[in-house]
Amino acid sequence: MGSIDPEFTSPICEFKPLDPEEFRKQAHQMVDFIADYYKNIEKYPVLSQVQPGYLRTHQPEAPPYHPESLETILEDVREDIIPGMTHWLSPKFFAFFPATVSSAAFLGEMLCTSFNAVGFNWLASPAATELEMVVMDWMANMINLPKTFMFSGTGGGVLQGTTSEAILCTLIAARERALEIIGIHNIGKLVVYGSDQTHSTYTKACKLAGIFPCNIRAIPTTKDTNFTLPPALLRRVIEADVAAGLVPLYLCATLGTTSTTAVDPLAQLAGVTNDHGVWLHVDAAYGGSACICPEFRHYLDGIERADSLSLSPHKWLLSYLDCCCLWVKNPALLVKALSTNPEYLRNKQSESDSVVDFKDWQVGTGRRFKALRLWLVLRSYGVANLQSHIRSDIRMATMFERFLKANPRFEIVVPRLFSLVCFRLKPVNGCDPSYADMLNRKLLDRVNSTGQIYMTHTIAGGVYMLRFAVGATLTEDRHMCVRKAASGLNWMGCSWVH
């Protein structure tokens, strides 16, 4: 055998990937970098202006063989990464739904990362499991959930990453419950329901759970009912499926749809699902956070008849991505469907059924100590400040809505419920509807091309509309003056809003 190059046998210097003092120094540098980014974020175009493939030309073909300094790396972040970012934290980001942040959540994330706990069961980190149980009950209390959803009652909750995971887990639990009765050979008879406004991830989750695509029902909605799911039509569709020998399984209702923030009538829908033994899940990813304010809690009326509920604090409760609360009325169904118990994870506490092992409440096994992040938010700000935050965003959205109503060129397409305003340029009398859509597309492209603000669109009931979602943590009243924000954009005789 040939000799080995000494360059590959001895390190250049002693390698310490986690030296506490070096970490302290570099962490201070990183915090300064991040704080400066937040401070100067309005200087960047909200929507990235780069072209596809831009970053490949700025990066070497292979990773460095020798280490590089943090200063060099951060300079590349400034020059190469930030220009390719769409700045979700910009106060002028009004697209999609916001991904909210806060100092408390950032500190919680630092703690979570520092411990690097892999809390798949209670024994792996008792504090991780037990704090999550406490936080989930705190959150349940904040939105006045019945005790049937709480650990202090007969239910319980778990932190998932996103609503997609929450839906998939509950869908699998519902599927397993049904297959115990009808037999696995009849899986092709299972039918699931949502509206044509239910989030697109629902269809994906259904397919992953083995539901035949032909058995995924999207109940049509109309503008006349503000795109909410009609209970009477749902009942007729379910009864037709039963008559055809199919087995109704699961309904995903929504509190705050993505397109228009429609709120499905939970109490009436629960009447239908309860009559037919259908699992009712409520996706409150966005709108559910508003229910910490008493004046919005009525949107959850009927939740006591649902089987599960999910809510994403990363959308509106300042907790950073990713953070989704899932509550279930009967945790045993979730555990039975998702449980694994290999020999190398067996322990006395788990075998005694005296503890919660959250690995059996989710798809994966490993899990982060995410409860720390939410715990710091709740303790640092308190319910009162979080309510104030929600109300402030809704007040600013109302301000923007008034600007639109004062301009005869625009119309509000659906009533505003929370902090999303859906609007468009009014169609000219007698013109083809496609022409009005074209004008609104051009308006959106023109506004977004300025880099000063970023909005998105949707189509509901065949109507093309623009979405203006208020909620970025740094947004203030002054950012509602969109005439200035859009650099006085004057197009088709209108100065953007006024």
Side-chain angles (χ1 to χ4, degrees):
M1 294 179 67
S3 61
I4 298 176
D5 190 327
E7 183 180 7
F8 296 99
T9 61
S10 59
I12 301 167
C13 59
E14 186 179 7
F15 178 48
K16 293 184 177 180
L18 183 57
D19 176 85
E21 292 309 314
E22 183 64 16
F23 169 75
R24 188 190 311 276
K25 173 190 169 185
Q26 292 191 340
H28 277 290
Q29 288 178 264
M30 186 61 76
V31 167
D32 285 342
F33 181 89
I34 294 169
D36 287 342
Y37 168 70
Y38 289 163
K39 182 179 180 180
N40 298 311
I41 196 167
E42 288 191 62
K43 296 179 181 178
Y44 304 115
V46 186
L47 181 64
S48 176
Q49 307 295 301
V50 301
Q51 297 301 312
Y54 89 99
L55 192 55
R56 173 72 68 176
T57 62
H58 288 74
Q59 294 296 301
E61 290 295 322
Y65 182 71
H66 295 291
E68 297 180 321
S69 68
L70 180 59
E71 291 79 6
T72 298
I73 297 169
L74 289 180
E75 184 58 31
D76 284 351
V77 173
R78 287 189 192 92
E79 297 299 319
D80 298 336
I81 302 301
I82 288 180
M85 295 300 299
T86 289
H87 299 281
W88 283 69
L89 305 190
S90 170
K92 295 179 286 188
F93 182 97
F94 302 109
F96 310 111
F97 282 132
T100 55
V101 301
S102 63
S103 298
F106 197 105
L107 298 177
E109 179 65 18
M110 290 173 71
L111 267 181
C112 170
T113 303
S114 72
F115 291 134
N116 200 34
V118 187
F120 40 76
N121 61 20
W122 180 88
L123 190 62
S125 273
T129 296
E130 298 199 7
L131 185 64
E132 187 159 333
M133 295 170 70
V134 168
V135 166
M136 289 302 298
D137 272 9
W138 282 6
M139 287 290 298
N141 274 314
M142 287 168 62
I143 58 174
N144 198 24
L145 284 185
K147 287 285 188 179
T148 49
F149 285 100
M150 299 167 64
F151 286 110
S152 57
T154 55
V158 59
L159 288 175
Q160 303 281 351
T162 64
T163 301
S164 308
E165 298 166 47
I167 290 175
L168 179 59
C169 289
T170 53
L171 189 54
I172 291 172
R175 181 198 68 190
E176 293 304 290
R177 181 180 67 174
L179 292 180
E180 279 194 349
I181 299 171
I182 66 173
I184 194 169
H185 59 285
N186 283 316
I187 191 171
K189 294 183 177 181
L190 298 178
V191 187
V192 298
Y193 306 86
S195 82
D196 57 9
Q197 299 301 306
T198 303
H199 197 284
S200 59
T201 194
Y202 181 51
T203 298
K204 184 186 295 187
C206 292
K207 291 177 180 177
L208 287 171
I211 305 301
F212 289 16
C214 61
N215 287 347
I216 302 173
R217 306 281 186 258
I219 309 296
T221 62
T222 65
K223 188 174 182 296
D224 292 340
T225 56
N226 297 322
F227 303 110
T228 60
L229 199 163
L233 181 54
L234 172 68
R235 184 179 294 277
R236 289 199 297 272
V237 171
I238 288 178
E239 288 174 350
D241 284 335
V242 171
L246 300 175
V247 180
L249 176 70
Y250 186 101
L251 168 66
C252 182
T254 309
L255 198 168
T257 59
T258 301
S259 280
T260 65
T261 65
V263 176
D264 292 333
L266 303 186
Q268 297 96 310
L269 293 173
V272 179
T273 58
N274 290 177
D275 285 349
H276 291 276
V278 171
W279 184 298
L280 173 57
H281 176 76
V282 178
D283 169 10
Y286 169 71
S289 294
C291 295
I292 69 170
C293 301
E295 63 267 33
F296 298 111
R297 174 54 179 80
H298 66 277
Y299 289 124
L300 276 173
D301 287 353
I303 192 63
E304 68 280 356
R305 301 175 70 186
D307 296 278
S308 54
L309 164 72
S310 56
L311 180 160
S312 296
H314 63 242
K315 289 187 183 294
W316 214 355
L317 290 179
L318 308 175
S319 72
Y320 280 88
L321 195 66
D322 54 0
C323 182
C324 174
C325 298
L326 168 65
W327 291 275
V328 288
K329 226 183 220 179
N330 189 343
L333 292 175
L334 206 61
V335 171
K336 187 175 183 180
L338 300 172
S339 167
T340 56
N341 196 25
E343 186 61 38
Y344 51 80
L345 293 183
R346 290 180 181 271
N347 62 84
K348 182 172 63 177
Q349 291 83 0
S350 296
E351 295 292 318
S352 71
D353 290 329
S354 61
V355 297
V356 169
D357 289 343
F358 277 127
K359 69 178 177 59
D360 299 328
W361 295 51
Q362 63 178 29
V363 173
T365 299
R367 59 198 329 272
R368 303 175 70 236
F369 195 174
K370 288 189 291 190
L372 272 173
R373 199 192 316 149
L374 203 47
W375 187 58
L376 258 76
V377 168
L378 297 178
R379 292 194 61 187
S380 299
Y381 303 136
V383 176
N385 275 319
L386 293 174
Q387 290 174 333
S388 177
H389 164 69
I390 296 286
R391 290 168 177 147
S392 175
D393 286 346
I394 293 173
R395 180 184 54 77
M396 287 188 286
T398 304
M399 184 187 309
F400 179 75
E401 183 181 42
R402 283 200 303 266
F403 292 158
L404 292 169
K405 288 181 175 178
N407 189 319
R409 298 296 305 276
F410 292 97
E411 65 178 356
I412 306 298
V413 182
V414 293
R416 180 198 49 75
L417 297 183
F418 303 109
S419 64
L420 173 70
V421 182
C422 295
F423 69 101
R424 64 173 182 161
L425 281 168
K426 283 183 180 178
V428 179
N429 288 336
C431 77
D432 190 281
S434 63
Y435 179 71
D437 289 350
M438 180 271 293
L439 292 182
N440 280 283
R441 286 189 175 92
K442 285 191 173 183
L443 175 60
L444 181 63
D445 290 344
R446 188 77 172 269
V447 170
N448 286 341
S449 70
T450 68
Q452 295 301 303
I453 65 173
Y454 180 36
M455 297 187 305
T456 48
H457 79 281
T458 191
I459 296 177
V463 178
Y464 181 97
M465 66 191 84
L466 281 59
R467 300 173 71 261
F468 189 89
V470 180
T473 306
L474 298 173
T475 301
E476 300 174 353
D477 285 11
R478 62 188 175 89
H479 298 110
M480 296 301 102
C481 298
V482 268
R483 179 170 58 86
K484 295 179 180 178
S487 302
L489 178 63
N490 194 319
W491 185 69
M492 302 245 355
C494 62
S495 297
W496 177 204
V497 174
H498 65 92

